[in-house]
Amino acid sequence: MSTENLPQSPEQPPRKPRVAVVFGGRSSEHGISVVTAGAVLKAIDRTKYDVLPIGITQDGRWALTADEPERMAIVDRRQPSVDLLAESDGGGVILPVDPANREVVYSEPGSVPKALGEVDVVFPVLHGPYGEDGTLQGLLELSGVPYVGSGVLASAVGQDKEYMKRVFTSFGLKVGPYLVIRPREWQQDEPAARKKIVDFAGEHGWPLFVKPARAGSSIGITKVDDLSGLDEAIAEAQRHDPKILVEAALRGREIECGVLEFEDGPRASAPAEIPSPEDHAYYDFEAKYIDSTPGIVPAPLTPEETAQVQRLAVDAFEATSCEGLVRADFFLTEDGEFVINEINTMPGFTPISMYPKMWEASGVSYPELVDRLVQAALRRSTGLR
């Protein structure tokens, strides 16, 4: 019998790619990561993607959280946290470690584990150690799940300011004078380690910037104007990282530039300038996120300076084998030279962050920016590439 005139069963529509937005984490940048996640969740195209928010508490528990971006904001100078967003105090989200299985499971104590479905790509908006430094990226590589942003090596190099500067120098990028004090140096001979810093100040002058070697968002950084403030600055940096970095002050303008991976390779955004904040000694955490010191986009540079900093930003992206995105931070010195200070492999995505603002000025809206990052991740395979 012919089946030509029989009613046909409708075909199932293709499943939308599922994006797990992972945020929070164990670093001192936990709250800023939550704010970033709120902005990403608000911007991601729900007609194009299914979204699964997963928060990591400050003690490392992976929690299923409410999909409520409006609760992920700084209110009355207080930062949000995953603990306040978690759907339970004890439940945990478990990622697969088998590349053949991308199904995420949620487990509550004393209850049967519940399957949450497969995840096609992870958008890790964690900042700082235990998330932005290659640790989470390594886990996702083992799981065979594509993810937004740089791989293990680039993430690790981008987090450790010492090795970042070493890589830049090896590729011919100009960096400012710096000194590293490792934990063993401080523990074995504290006076000798302190003397190294004092000698460095004698060579390059005060002020110095003392900072954690592996932190971001300007957390733990102190501008030290003379010897009297040194010990307190060291203690503050070591509170966030046992390895500290000491940098000579560079006199010049602070210029930032975003890099985004397009189908044909990385491109640089319009650069921005960070003016000296009026009520802060420098562009610190409070100036960035609490008082929202505005940057100037695009930066008032000559066409030649703009082209140069864009080229250097892409060079920094390529030198560290980055993927997806990078924000590159420079000083334009008084003699007209660009000196690279650092890169950030997962820059802030808060509504006031400079990275999305630079791309908006370059014609890429926030929702399109998020979409391009997810699409770039879906184009890449995990593993060696």
Side-chain angles (χ1 to χ4, degrees):
M1 184 175 85
S2 170
T3 60
E4 192 172 292
N5 296 319
L6 292 178
Q8 303 294 311
S9 58
E11 289 187 9
Q12 291 281 26
R15 182 175 68 84
K16 291 186 288 188
R18 199 156 199 231
V19 181
V21 179
V22 180
F23 60 96
R26 294 163 54 190
S27 83
S28 52
E29 298 174 74
H30 177 99
I32 296 304
S33 173
V34 177
V35 176
T36 291
V40 170
L41 288 170
K42 190 179 294 185
I44 197 166
D45 186 351
R46 304 304 179 103
T47 67
K48 192 171 182 178
Y49 305 106
D50 285 327
V51 180
L52 176 66
I54 299 174
I56 302 177
T57 64
Q58 288 177 309
D59 61 6
R61 179 171 66 92
W62 290 51
L64 191 62
T65 66
D67 187 1
E68 299 175 2
E70 64 278 2
R71 294 173 58 195
M72 303 178 183
I74 295 174
V75 179
D76 296 329
R77 305 179 76 86
R78 292 195 302 271
Q79 298 179 52
S81 73
V82 170
D83 288 289
L84 298 176
L85 297 164
E87 294 196 348
S88 79
D89 293 332
V93 175
I94 303 168
L95 282 182
V97 291
D98 178 1
N101 173 24
R102 292 184 180 175
E103 189 160 74
V104 175
V105 173
Y106 179 70
S107 177
E108 286 267 15
S111 301
V112 176
K114 179 173 68 174
L116 299 178
E118 291 189 351
V119 166
D120 298 290
V121 63
V122 170
F123 199 138
V125 293
L126 295 106
H127 304 307
Y130 311 110
E132 191 183 349
D133 61 349
T135 50
L136 178 61
Q137 289 74 15
L139 173 63
L140 296 172
E141 292 285 352
L142 289 172
S143 302
V145 180
Y147 53 92
V148 170
S150 291
V152 175
L153 174 66
S155 297
V157 170
Q159 188 66 47
D160 191 312
K161 294 177 176 62
E162 175 194 0
Y163 289 99
M164 180 199 307
K165 291 175 186 291
R166 289 180 181 273
V167 170
F168 288 156
T169 301
S170 71
F171 277 82
L173 292 160
K174 176 79 171 178
V175 304
Y178 70 97
L179 173 72
V180 177
I181 302 294
R182 292 182 171 78
R184 189 177 295 122
E185 291 180 79
W186 191 259
Q187 293 158 7
Q188 291 182 346
D189 195 341
E190 185 177 317
R194 187 181 287 104
K195 184 178 184 302
K196 280 179 64 175
I197 301 175
V198 174
D199 290 345
F200 181 80
E203 181 181 357
H204 298 286
W206 302 92
L208 301 177
F209 286 89
V210 179
K211 57 179 67 175
R214 295 162 291 193
S217 297
S218 298
I219 290 174
I221 300 177
T222 306
K223 181 183 180 183
V224 184
D225 292 312
D226 53 46
L227 190 60
S228 65
L230 184 59
D231 284 352
E232 186 178 346
I234 292 169
E236 172 61 16
Q238 289 176 332
R239 196 164 67 83
H240 301 276
D241 188 344
K243 182 166 85 165
I244 66 172
L245 191 79
V246 181
E247 293 176 339
L250 291 176
R251 288 165 177 79
R253 299 161 60 188
E254 290 191 51
I255 306 294
E256 298 183 350
C257 191
V259 179
L260 178 64
E261 182 181 340
F262 286 74
E263 290 81 358
D264 59 351
R267 301 182 200 171
S269 70
E273 180 168 2
I274 308 300
S276 298
E278 294 181 3
D279 300 324
H280 300 266
Y282 63 99
Y283 192 48
D284 60 7
F285 178 87
E286 296 279 323
K288 280 183 182 179
Y289 295 109
I290 304 300
D291 296 329
S292 305
T293 301
I296 303 169
V297 189
L301 300 170
T302 66
E304 293 77 18
E305 289 170 336
T306 296
Q308 184 181 5
V309 77
Q310 289 175 323
R311 176 181 59 78
L312 290 171
V314 172
D315 287 349
F317 182 96
E318 298 283 28
T320 43
S321 298
C322 289
E323 295 169 294
L325 71 163
V326 146
R327 193 194 71 232
D329 301 344
F330 297 85
F331 289 100
L332 177 56
T333 63
E334 294 170 347
D335 60 1
E337 184 176 35
F338 280 105
V339 176
I340 188 163
N341 186 41
E342 64 183 39
I343 59 168
N344 196 313
T345 57
M346 186 52 70
F349 262 81
T350 72
I352 60 167
S353 294
M354 295 310 302
Y355 184 82
K357 283 183 175 293
M358 288 187 287
W359 278 108
E360 186 176 14
S362 307
V364 180
S365 68
Y366 195 109
E368 183 186 349
L369 181 60
V370 170
D371 183 60
R372 283 192 172 277
L373 289 168
V374 173
Q375 288 299 316
L378 287 168
R379 287 196 300 270
R380 291 194 302 267
S381 62
T382 53
L384 298 177
R385 53 188 183 273

